[in-house]
Amino acid sequence: SQKIEQNSEALNIQEGKTATLTCNYTNYSPAYLQWYRQDPGRGPVFLLLIRENEKEKRKERLKVTFDTTLKQSLFHITASQPADSATYLCVPRSGGYNKLIFGAGTRLAVHP
Amino acid sequence: DAGVTQSPTHLIKTRGQQVTLRCSPKSGHDTVSWYQQALGQGPQFIFQYYEEEERQRGNFPDRFSGHQFPNYSSELNVNALLLGDSALYLCASSPRGPGNVLTFGAGSRLTVL
C-alpha cells in the first residue's frame, strides 16, 4: 500500500538556521508533490507544489526538492524564525482525481 | 473572498448519537473532500464529492456518509458515534483538475463522551 514517511520526532532548531524536513514515499509514482503547513487546531495551508520534472522549487525562504529516483522530497526553510514553528505535511500526488493522502507531518520548533 | 467555512466549530456528543457537520467551499471550487485528524496524526481521507456524487472513499466504515448539494456545499454525517470518532474533522475544497491544491477550513472539533 502507499506509504508516506516523515520525520516522526519534532525538529528543534535555533532561529536563523536552516531547517530541513524529509519526506519519503513508497508504492507511489507521484506526478506532483505538495507541502502544507498546519498550526495547532487549524486546517493545513498550502505552501508549495513541485512536479516530477522539476528538481527544485523556491518561494521566498522556502525550497523544495523532488528526487523521483530516491522517492524523496526535502523541504528547506532558510533563516528560520520562531513564526515558522508548525507541523509540515507532505502529500505525494499521482495524476488524475484520486484522493490526497497526507503524511503524519513533522513538527518544527524554532527557538529564539 | 471567503475561504472554506465549516460549522459547528466545536461540539460534544455521547456514544451512539449521530452528528452532521457542514462545509461551504471556497468560491469557484466545486470539489469537496473530508478528512479526519486525530491528535498528533496527519489528516486521514474520508471521501471526496464532485457533481453531487461520492467519487473517492478512504478506509472508513459506512457509519460515515456524506452529501454534496447543487451549490457545492457539503455535509458529513456520522452515525452510532464511538469514542474513537473524537477528532478534528476538516473540509477541503478544490477546483477540479489534476494537481489541484486543497483549501482547508478551520475544522470542526468533535468530542464523543
Side-chain angles (χ1 to χ4, degrees):
Chain A
S1 62
Q2 296 170 337
K3 192 174 179 183
I4 304 162
E5 291 182 351
Q6 296 188 249
N7 310 72
S8 57
E9 295 185 7
L11 181 62
N12 291 281
I13 65 167
Q14 206 68 28
E15 182 176 8
K17 301 292 186 184
T18 296
T20 298
L21 285 63
T22 304
C23 172
N24 296 298
Y25 56 90
T26 53
N27 298 322
Y28 261 108
S29 295
Y32 316 83
L33 196 142
Q34 301 174 356
W35 283 88
Y36 290 76
R37 167 186 172 140
Q38 186 174 25
D39 292 286
R42 309 289 296 178
V45 174
F46 170 75
L47 295 175
L48 279 170
L49 180 153
I50 186 167
R51 294 177 172 80
E52 62 180 338
N53 61 351
E54 298 174 315
K55 295 298 182 186
E56 181 180 298
K57 197 80 168 277
R58 290 175 185 262
K59 179 183 176 183
E60 297 172 354
R61 295 184 296 110
L62 308 180
K63 184 180 85 171
V64 173
T65 63
F66 191 9
D67 189 325
T68 56
T69 301
L70 290 179
K71 294 187 179 295
Q72 181 181 80
S73 175
L74 298 178
F75 180 83
H76 306 272
I77 305 176
T78 58
S80 59
Q81 304 165 0
D84 295 325
S85 299
T87 296
Y88 292 85
L89 300 158
C90 159
V91 189
R93 174 80 200 277
S94 298
Y97 306 111
N98 51 352
K99 57 196 178 188
L100 286 177
I101 299 176
F102 284 78
T106 297
R107 188 162 56 86
L108 171 67
V110 181
H111 302 283
Chain B
D1 174 30
V4 177
T5 58
Q6 291 187 243
S7 63
T9 54
H10 294 83
L11 68 167
I12 300 173
K13 294 285 187 178
T14 56
R15 282 180 299 174
Q17 284 190 313
Q18 177 263 345
V19 67
T20 297
L21 307 178
R22 297 176 176 82
C23 172
S24 293
K26 181 178 178 179
S27 177
H29 288 184
D30 57 8
T31 301
V32 173
S33 301
W34 286 93
Y35 289 81
Q36 180 195 65
Q37 187 173 28
L39 212 56
Q41 303 295 317
Q44 299 296 307
F45 176 78
I46 303 176
F47 41 54
Q48 180 187 76
Y49 277 85
Y50 170 68
E51 289 186 339
E52 301 180 50
E53 288 192 18
E54 183 182 294
R55 299 292 176 174
Q56 295 284 339
R57 189 177 182 92
N59 195 22
F60 279 80
D62 292 344
R63 298 187 297 108
F64 290 77
S65 63
H67 190 77
Q68 185 180 36
F69 299 94
N71 66 352
Y72 309 123
S73 67
S74 177
E75 287 182 351
L76 164 65
N77 300 291
V78 187
N79 294 322
L81 285 168
L82 304 174
L83 296 179
D85 294 332
S86 296
L88 181 67
Y89 288 85
L90 294 163
C91 172
S93 71
S94 58
R96 189 173 182 232
N100 45 26
V101 169
L102 296 178
T103 300
F104 282 86
S108 294
R109 170 71 63 185
L110 170 65
T111 301
V112 182
L113 301 176

